[in-house]
Amino acid sequence: MKNFLFLMMCLALSALTTSCTVVKQGEVGVKRTFGKYADRPYTEGLRVFNPFTTTVVKVPVQTENMEVSLNLPSKEGLNIRADISILYNLKANKAPDLLREIGRNYENNVILPVFRSTVSDVTARYFAKDMHTGERATIEVAIRDQMAGLLEERGILIEAVLIKSIQLPANLARAIEEKLEAEQRALRMEFVLQEAQQEAQRRRIEAEGIRDAQNIISQGLDPNVLQFKSIEAFLELAKSPNTKVIITDGDMPMLMDPQQPGALQSTLKN
């Protein structure tokens, strides 16, 4: 009986002096004993610690989305309102150093100040209209690269910086729209001109073909050919049973209608 009571007392004392926590996937745990962080982080799994002397601080290491709304300065001095997402993650092996040097509020203490400084430096190199066109991707990459160079050593990896929305001043937005419309009209006019040029080229080629064909035909109609065709015409007329009067100069036959003297019915020529 005494042994049983002693065993129960040992178990109760052990339960009072130990605790456990679960480190989930996508995060690491860093043990903090008497205010000092351990050098090696815990990965996912069940972890046991002494609740009287130790705590386990959990830090996410999966991709995080930090959204920021701010005014972006442009090259011409305008302020462009924008909503921006910063996608980042933490290096698991750097979590203890991050907690020791920066603390758990690393987003506001480091990431946000670095982002504000970087975005002001980058966007000031571009005109406001560039942020509304294809240059946006270039601006995003420039911000990401500059932030990565400043934060990677601290264990913060910047995956992407995404400008989700841009609110241009009303006058500038209208000017950009007018410019785009003018460019569309210019492209349409260029298409119409190209189409007209192609049609003119087609007609020119067709006319040249007709001219060449007529030249070939005219060159082939020499006196001998004409006399041969005339003979063929005489023969065809002779086969006709109808009454006819044929007048000829020896080269070209002419058929006269005997009921209407003097009227030229047809001239056969090829």
Side-chain angles (χ1 to χ4, degrees):
M1 185 66 178
K2 292 181 178 180
N3 292 336
F4 177 76
L5 290 176
F6 178 75
L7 179 61
M8 292 298 294
M9 290 178 61
C10 290
L11 292 174
L13 181 63
S14 175
L16 289 173
T17 57
T18 60
S19 183
C20 62
T21 186
V22 176
V23 179
K24 300 177 183 178
Q25 288 185 337
E27 64 182 13
V28 295
V30 181
K31 182 186 289 186
R32 185 179 184 180
T33 305
F34 296 112
K36 182 180 180 181
Y37 286 105
D39 293 330
R40 185 175 63 86
Y42 288 147
T43 56
E44 63 270 11
L46 181 66
R47 303 299 175 182
V48 178
F49 62 95
N50 185 343
F52 295 103
T53 61
T54 304
T55 58
V56 176
V57 179
K58 300 176 184 179
V59 179
V61 292
Q62 78 270 28
T63 298
E64 297 288 330
N65 179 19
M66 181 179 178
E67 297 189 356
V68 183
S69 297
L70 77 169
N71 291 324
L72 306 179
S74 66
K75 191 173 182 179
E76 64 266 54
L78 298 175
N79 287 323
I80 313 301
R81 190 68 182 174
D83 295 329
I84 302 177
S85 288
I86 306 169
L87 302 181
Y88 74 93
N89 65 76
L90 305 179
K91 292 182 180 179
N93 61 339
K94 286 283 189 176
D97 294 334
L98 187 68
L99 293 173
R100 277 193 291 262
E101 298 172 5
I102 301 174
R104 300 176 67 175
N105 195 18
Y106 46 83
E107 280 193 349
N108 291 327
N109 292 339
V110 174
I111 297 179
L112 187 57
V114 169
F115 167 72
R116 290 184 181 277
S117 175
T118 300
V119 76
S120 297
D121 180 56
V122 172
T123 58
R125 308 172 198 164
Y126 294 87
F127 292 104
K129 65 181 181 62
D130 296 333
M131 304 178 196
H132 200 262
T133 59
E135 291 292 333
R136 179 186 295 191
T138 303
I139 296 172
E140 292 173 342
V141 172
I143 296 172
R144 182 201 65 190
D145 293 345
Q146 190 164 326
M147 289 184 65
L150 297 172
L151 296 175
E152 188 171 358
E153 291 183 358
R154 294 183 177 271
I156 302 173
L157 300 178
I158 304 298
E159 298 179 11
V161 175
L162 306 174
I163 303 176
K164 298 191 297 181
S165 66
I166 292 287
Q167 298 178 10
L168 297 175
N171 292 339
L172 179 60
R174 185 166 56 253
I176 292 175
E177 290 176 358
E178 290 175 355
K179 180 184 177 183
L180 293 175
E181 290 176 359
E183 290 176 351
Q184 291 298 322
R185 288 195 299 268
L187 291 174
R188 173 62 182 170
M189 182 57 65
E190 183 179 351
F191 172 77
V192 171
L193 291 175
Q194 289 179 352
E195 193 175 49
Q197 291 174 353
Q198 292 175 354
E199 178 63 17
Q201 180 69 12
R202 184 191 67 80
R203 292 183 178 181
R204 185 162 45 251
I205 294 173
E206 182 179 4
E208 290 176 353
I210 294 173
R211 181 198 63 194
D212 293 342
Q214 290 176 345
N215 289 337
I216 293 173
I217 293 173
S218 62
Q219 291 174 3
L221 293 178
D222 58 15
N224 293 330
V225 172
L226 292 175
Q227 187 175 16
F228 175 75
K229 292 294 184 179
S230 177
I231 294 172
E232 287 185 338
F234 278 126
L235 293 176
E236 290 298 324
L237 289 172
K239 295 178 182 179
S240 175
N242 298 328
T243 302
K244 64 189 74 65
V245 176
I246 299 175
I247 302 173
T248 180
D249 59 356
D251 293 327
M252 296 296 175
M254 290 184 292
L255 178 64
M256 302 296 294
D257 187 348
Q259 298 179 358
Q260 297 180 358
L264 179 62
Q265 188 70 11
S266 65
T267 303
L268 299 179
K269 179 169 60 176
N270 189 1

